[in-house]
Amino acid sequence: MPDLTVAAIQFAAAADPAGNLDTAERLVRKAAGAGARLILLQELFESRYFCITEDPAHLATARPFEGNPLIARFAALAGELGVVLPIPFFEEAGQARFNSVAVADADGRVLGTYRKAHIPQGPGYEEKFFFSPGDTGFRVWDTAAGRIGVGICWDQWFPESARVMALMGAEILLYPSAIGSEPEAPDWDSQPHWETVMRGHAGANLMPLVASNRVGTEIQGGRTVTFYGSSFVADATGRIVAKGGRESEEIVLATLDMDAAAELRRSWGLFRDRRPDLYGRIGAF
Amino acid sequence: MPDLTVAAIQFAAAADPAGNLDTAERLVRKAAGAGARLILLQELFESRYFCITEDPAHLATARPFEGNPLIARFAALAGELGVVLPIPFFEEAGQARFNSVAVADADGRVLGTYRKAHIPQGPGYEEKFFFSPGDTGFRVWDTAAGRIGVGICWDQWFPESARVMALMGAEILLYPSAIGSEPEAPDWDSQPHWETVMRGHAGANLMPLVASNRVGTEIQGGRTVTFYGSSFVADATGRIVAKGGRESEEIVLATLDMDAAAELRRSWGLFRDRRPDLYGRIGAF
């Protein structure tokens, strides 16, 4: 695959899930119309980010992977538009719940699901209350847009998940996200840190990376989080090639030379010179 | 340790090793005079970068760790100035040779040596001809400047080595380097890529990072490499807080809040949320 046009979508979630699905569909159609063949929606795009506080009412909004109407709708959309589309959703699995993403190929087939491995917990991001740590392991998907690796939000902070997906043959890394201000540290802006770590994954694994992150201010139980958008596409050296603003609904588009990235992975020597015999320490806390 | 002032030194190597040692000593004294308590010299600072071609004459310049006069001189200097000083050197070990660094504490004691684990090989950087891959594993050192992790050049491209040192309790990561232009790809500038990957290590491991890299143009066997300096200090979010130019001899100084970095490592949750059960794939190519 020589050139691949990708899009990261960012929008502000409303209280009404049906409206959010319509917004997402409108933006996916627009991104496809602009030439994107791989389109990344934000984490849990159906709803507001309900993890701002620990309100058990939201636990009931999870839905199973099988027979999931949200997945059916967006997989059909992917097939209609001929685009590869990861579909983030809140998954109910037996008595447990996961923060998940289904992956739809460009022919509308659903290839499977990945469950977020790394779960944060802190003021405004109370995810351990809602989600079990994912049990699928990291996954890559053979699609019309090449072999893609998809992590979810907090996964983006861990070099291990990026590296595992790269070793599994990923050609591009995707991270749907929901991150913004810290309710108890209003002066702290994690955006540059967030971006720097993911640019590092792109550069260290010599492959492009796409991050999508919602915008807008959401208030729940008296707590306020302002999501900072800044969705971006980085190339195989970690350089930012397209980036959204912090506040606006946006489609962040970029065309990537995937052959050049593959050539860089071959020629730069990093995957030749690894020392797995010295990496055992990574397998423990 | 609340504040730690660190320095990265960069200079152009001359043909004469004795002159290079004098230059290094002059700059270490100057950095200490400016308040640095941890000073990083560039990789193989005694000599020009002899790996530009595969000339076996240079193999004979390696010296054992034990009784090494270069190490003795710079460890004594560290003790005199009361600074922590990693001392890169070309090590002969029995019939083999390593690209190594001895670590001198601020009292002049030599704590031991680390042998570069990841060895590059490509036009202008023919290191596999000169060095065996290091057999020490990654190491950290308890010094007057805290627990420091020291990698060497090519190690800086691998998230694994940074992570292993972090898991071993490193509070700061140090990378003496020798990197510049690509003789067979004159339009390729790896400097932004090089910097991005290391900033990613700092951000992902929530600890400051210092890189030192030589400047100057060196010609060997008809091949030319122009080293791009750009030595830098990044903070625990991967932000560049001090950076040298591409051409000039320089002392790059920064004062780091090590307590704030430790607090960030505790509170940000990354080391709590790792999933070692899912990282097994990293242990193979």
Side-chain angles (χ1 to χ4, degrees), chain A residues 3 28 41-42 45 90 132 142 158 160-161 179 200 210 217 238:
Chain A
D3 280 345
V28 168
L41 288 161
Q42 62 208 25
F45 71 100
F90 184 20
S132 295
D142 287 316
F158 295 82
E160 292 93 342
S161 37
I179 188 166
V210 186
T217 293

Side-chain angles (χ1 to χ4, degrees), chain B residues 94-197:
Chain B
Q95 300 291 347
R97 272 153 296 276
F98 295 98
N99 186 334
S100 299
V101 60
V103 176
D105 204 352
D107 59 5
R109 278 184 313 133
V110 176
L111 303 179
T113 189
Y114 163 73
R115 294 169 172 168
K116 183 174 179 174
H118 301 99
I119 308 295
Q121 180 67 29
Y125 302 87
E126 316 280 348
E127 294 199 19
K128 290 190 196 295
F129 179 77
F130 292 98
F131 312 121
S132 295
D135 61 348
T136 55
F138 308 111
R139 302 192 68 178
V140 296
W141 311 92
D142 286 315
T143 73
R147 185 170 288 192
I148 67 171
V150 191
I152 302 175
C153 203
W154 199 231
D155 290 328
Q156 68 212 166
W157 292 88
F158 295 81
E160 292 92 344
S161 37
R163 186 63 118 196
V164 169
M165 291 189 283
L167 292 172
M168 294 171 80
E171 296 166 281
I172 187 169
L173 301 175
L174 311 173
Y175 293 98
S177 310
I179 188 167
S181 59
E182 300 291 327
E184 298 190 7
D187 294 334
W188 182 262
D189 177 19
S190 66
Q191 192 280 324
H193 189 187
W194 174 81
E195 179 181 299
T196 297
V197 171

